[in-house]
Amino acid sequence: MSQQLAVVVGASGAFGTAITRRLLAGGLAVLAVGRDEARLEALALAHDGVVPCVADVADDRAVATVGAALAARQQPVRAVVHGPGVVVAGGILEAPTEAITRSVDIKVGGLLRMVRAADPHLGEGSRIIAIAGHYGLEPSPYAATAGIANAAVFAVVRQLSQALGDRGITAHTLAPGPADTPRLRRVAAARAARDGITVDEVLDQMRSDSSVGRFTTAEQVAWAVTTLLSPEATAMTGSTWMLDAGRRRGLP
């Protein structure tokens, strides 16, 4: 098989589905990696070119599982897109330490496991794309798990860019702001209950953090992923691309 392949972790989520559609439209096949077999099968039924692969990226066995799936197809891997979600478990003083370390293992350990699984199939022009989040740069009082895990992702991607650069492989981080997804609405509901206000009031507060008063969309994240596949994106290796609708206040 000569068609190139993208490995997408979290493909059945809001971001992952939009990314998968864009990659398919660009002519890539997609190995969709996740824990929920039913959701992966539904994605494969809805979109030609999707190959489901059930694996828990927080488990070392995922390296062999994903590696075997890639070996069976024998297609060059154009991109590894790592975008699993993590639990939002409160601020730094109340979030269980287990939730924090689990989040780091999913975000950082999972990324490293997927890179190692795909390594034999990576080559000149391949991309490693990690979806972190702006909480890694702008700490939130209610999302310590995401903030700590995403901050670690920035460092790991820089190291991957150095380790893989001599093979023509580049590594990139995307840092979206909050997106209006079912997951965000669950977070908003928890904050509303805590603060004694409505969910809509919480969402309005979140929007006000953006200089344009908007949430990031899944399609914007998908656009960024496919843009990073262009040859010109080589100049961005190791860097973080902010997709936060103007939420970051600090420099650089």
Side-chain angles (χ1 to χ4, degrees), residues 72-245:
R73 296 191 65 82
Q74 285 299 307
Q75 291 170 288
V77 173
R78 183 72 173 86
V80 175
V81 183
H82 190 258
V86 296
V87 66
V88 176
I92 192 65
L93 296 181
E94 65 266 14
T97 55
E98 183 180 0
I100 293 173
T101 56
R102 170 75 174 174
S103 296
V104 173
D105 196 19
I106 291 170
K107 285 282 194 175
V108 174
L111 174 60
L112 294 177
R113 292 178 184 104
M114 292 303 96
V115 170
R116 290 169 186 178
D119 186 76
H121 310 279
L122 299 174
E124 179 80 30
S126 293
R127 303 284 189 250
I128 309 300
I129 303 171
I131 301 174
H134 85 293
Y135 287 148
L137 297 166
E138 294 285 340
S140 162
Y142 63 89
T145 50
I148 292 169
N150 288 334
V153 168
F154 301 140
V156 170
V157 168
R158 282 189 174 275
Q159 293 199 33
L160 287 171
S161 73
Q162 294 178 340
L164 299 172
D166 61 357
R167 294 168 55 189
I169 302 164
T170 61
H172 311 264
T173 308
L174 297 179
D180 194 356
T181 62
R183 181 174 179 271
L184 183 75
R185 288 185 172 269
R186 289 194 297 271
V187 172
R191 285 183 62 183
R194 182 196 67 185
D195 298 340
I197 59 178
T198 68
V199 171
D200 285 341
E201 286 174 317
V202 173
L203 293 174
D204 285 343
Q205 289 175 0
M206 290 180 172
R207 288 189 190 92
S208 71
D209 290 336
S210 158
S211 60
V212 293
R214 298 174 185 171
F215 290 122
T216 303
T217 70
E219 285 300 329
Q220 288 168 334
V221 176
W223 162 80
V225 168
T226 52
T227 300
L228 286 173
L229 299 184
S230 67
E232 292 80 3
T234 301
M236 298 171 64
T237 189
S239 63
T240 298
W241 197 354
M242 301 301 297
L243 300 169
D244 65 348

Side-chain angles (χ1 to χ4, degrees), residues 40-101:
L40 292 177
E41 291 290 351
L43 185 69
L45 286 173
H47 301 285
D48 289 339
V50 172
V51 180
C53 180
V54 180
D56 180 358
V57 298
D59 187 322
D60 283 342
R61 288 174 293 185
V63 177
T65 300
V66 175
L70 292 172
R73 296 191 65 82
Q74 285 299 307
Q75 291 170 288
V77 173
R78 183 72 173 86
V80 175
V81 183
H82 190 258
V86 296
V87 66
V88 176
I92 192 65
L93 296 181
E94 65 266 14
T97 55
E98 183 180 0
I100 293 173
T101 56

